[in-house]
Amino acid sequence: MGLLMVAGVPALAAALFMAAALAWWGQGDDTSVLVAAAAAGAFLLMALLGVLWLRQAAARTAVLRAVVEAVPDALAVAGADGRLLAANGAFAALSGGAGGARVVEILAHLCRGGADGQRLHDLEDAVRRGEGGEASVVFGDDTLGLPPGGAVRPVPRLVVARPLPASGLRGLVEWRVRSGGAIPVPGSHPWRELWDLAPLGVMLVDGAGALLRVNLTLADWLGHTREMLEDGGRHLRDLMAIPPQGELFPERLAGMAEVELAAARATPLRASVLHVASSAGGSLVFLGDLTRETAREEELRRAEQRFQRFFQFAPTGFAFVDGEFRLAECNPTFLAMAGVRLGDVQGESIASLFQQEHRANLLARLGEVLDGRQPAGTPVEARLRGASSPVVHVYSRRFDGDGDGDRGLILHLVDMTAQKNLEAQFVQSQKMQAIGQLAGGVAHDFNNLLTAMIGFCDLLLLRHKPGDQSFSDIMQIKQNANRAANLVRQLLAFSRQQTLQPRVLSITDVLAELSNLLRRLIGENIELRMLHGRDTGLVRVDQGQLEQVIINLAVNARDAMPKGGRLTIVTGNLHTTEPIRHETEEMPPGDWVVVEVIDTGIGIPPENLQRIFEPFFSTKEVGSGTGLGLSTVYGIVRQTGGFVFVESKPGEGAKFSIHLPRLDEKALAQAAPAEESKDKAAADLTGMGTVLLVEDEDAVRVFGARALRNKGYTVLEARSGEEALDILQGERGGDVDLIVSDVVMPQMDGPTMIEQVRRFRPDVKVIFISGYAEDRFRHSLKDGAVVDFLPKPFSLKQLAAKVKDVMEGPPRAGG
């Protein structure tokens, strides 16, 4: 309408002017009329042109109005007095259609006053001074863009004010309000969980860098509450541990790859700027926690270090070989096993590290695993080269790489040397045990025969005195029987089945008493040297057996030095905290008394070192020895709880080291003194009482019965345990004062018989006789049972002395 009014003014003036001209033309001459008509036509033409121009201006104004309304920002024009002159639809919707008021008051009202409202007034003052500017404020009642069912949080707004260009209308000011729309409050909308539970730190800042919103993840990282960060009027710069130079806007933050945020803890939070999303309503800044990332990287580095340590210090050898079986990588254990350096073997064939005779089989098995013809996990036994030449099990597994041609085998080498030694030790132990059992069984049968032989010789000697012609013949039989008995004792010593009578001794004293005998045994062409250590400890051994050990070693040394030499016997103490392994024997840690017998003889070949303790093994000529000397030494020392080791090389002599457990002198001093040995009178072996002799060997039983009857005893005989029980439960059973019984008998053995006898005769005295050792039957006796023992073979004198000692001794408690 206004446009039509403006266009109608020149048209109306032209019409009036034309009418006047026509009236004047009607009264004048032709020229005047003609001039008037031309003037009227000109004015009419001007009117038509004016109408056309006004129509074009109206069209341009409509286009400009449409463009202004399409702008998403709220636009308003204030006059010189600050009141609203014109505004677009966005501003009208924002202000609720308020008109005639000052623009700054309208906006301050939307901010609910306060600091935001004051910033707007300051902005207006700056514009009035001819300056432009902007201010970030929050409108509290904005509900535009609210999602269905969601609440809103006050939306940050950027208000821009600037003076319009001078166009004849001075004092006009343009106000522009940039808005990002309403932001749903995360607390009452499903977006809240996405916001707060995001694994990234997120904060919302306005264009000036003021902190408006943070998620819980970022608040937890910084060690603050969300309210403390959002309501404290903080700026983006306040979050920086080391603020950068100059102003800090979100756009500048986008150019930073890494920042340090001030956290409640002592160390700043290192964060990476992942993304900055800016809009008219502000900027969202997404951060990643580099501190945790660094911790993960550190944990990964430590894990790699742990794996590297496992690889470096594993007791198993690890190696990687390529498809051509060339060594690529290995750990130090592998190099130590092979006794090589990595630089010398890297790139070389793995087979070159093994002994020649094992290479072909090893390569064949590795090729089968590489081609898939042999399952992984099956070991190959081989021996490495080098000084120690360990026996290893090689486990292989194919490695196909990552498709880059890195194909090969992963090898695991397990050192089996110790296990092989244990296996050899076990085999040797089984062999020695089997030989010992055989020797013990043979010795038992021989002892029965020798008991009868020696016994009947003693009975014959009772009737044939030294002047008798048969006396010398009987003595020859007895002496050879005693030699046979000594041979049997050596068999029992090897099998560790002889009966020992140990007592506390000083090795130095024993060797001092034995030195004269040793000098006579070794001869004049051999020098004997004895070197005794200081404060040599005490041992508990059978003196006779220990002397036999030293004599046997001295005799062997003498035979190894046919042209003379030197025999040295050294004593001393040894304390060890680690086990000592020698060949197949392992001595536990502890305190030991050591006796070393060293000769300068011909030495022992390596192939004989493993067999020298076997019974009947001898390198001497036939008839020069029994082959039981060293086996006896081995048996006696092991039964005493000790160890015997030998070191020798051909042409360099030999050294036998005997290790006996050392006694604790303090404990011995506190213990009760040992019982004094009784002085047995050899002149009178007669006695009185009834003796029940139980023996399945007729010869031994006949000899024993006659010997005891000759000494004044009443003897009842039984061939078995059952027969002995019948006698004891019969009429004469009550008269029996002593039972002398064999241990091993058919059907019922001696210990079983005595156990039944104790039920009705608990006080009866018992002597066991056996060709086996005492330990063989002690374990079968009932706890607390007390019996005496007499080993076979025994003489008439030994039997009579033992019986009289027991008969006259104190009563023995039964089991």
Side-chain angles (χ1 to χ4, degrees), residues 53-76:
W53 178 84
L54 290 175
R55 286 182 177 179
Q56 292 177 355
R60 287 196 299 270
T61 302
V63 172
L64 291 175
R65 168 64 65 179
V67 171
V68 170
E69 291 296 336
V71 174
D73 296 342
L75 298 177

Side-chain angles (χ1 to χ4, degrees), residues 44-116:
L44 180 60
L45 180 61
M46 291 176 60
L48 291 175
L49 292 174
V51 170
L52 292 176
W53 178 84
L54 290 175
R55 286 182 177 179
Q56 292 177 355
R60 287 196 299 270
T61 302
V63 172
L64 291 175
R65 168 64 65 179
V67 171
V68 170
E69 291 296 336
V71 174
D73 296 342
L75 298 177
V77 178
D81 57 356
R83 296 183 182 276
L84 180 65
L85 292 181
N88 66 352
F91 188 88
L94 180 65
S95 62
R102 294 179 61 193
V103 175
V104 69
E105 296 294 342
I106 296 173
L107 297 178
H109 176 72
L110 295 176
C111 295
R112 301 183 186 276
D116 288 343

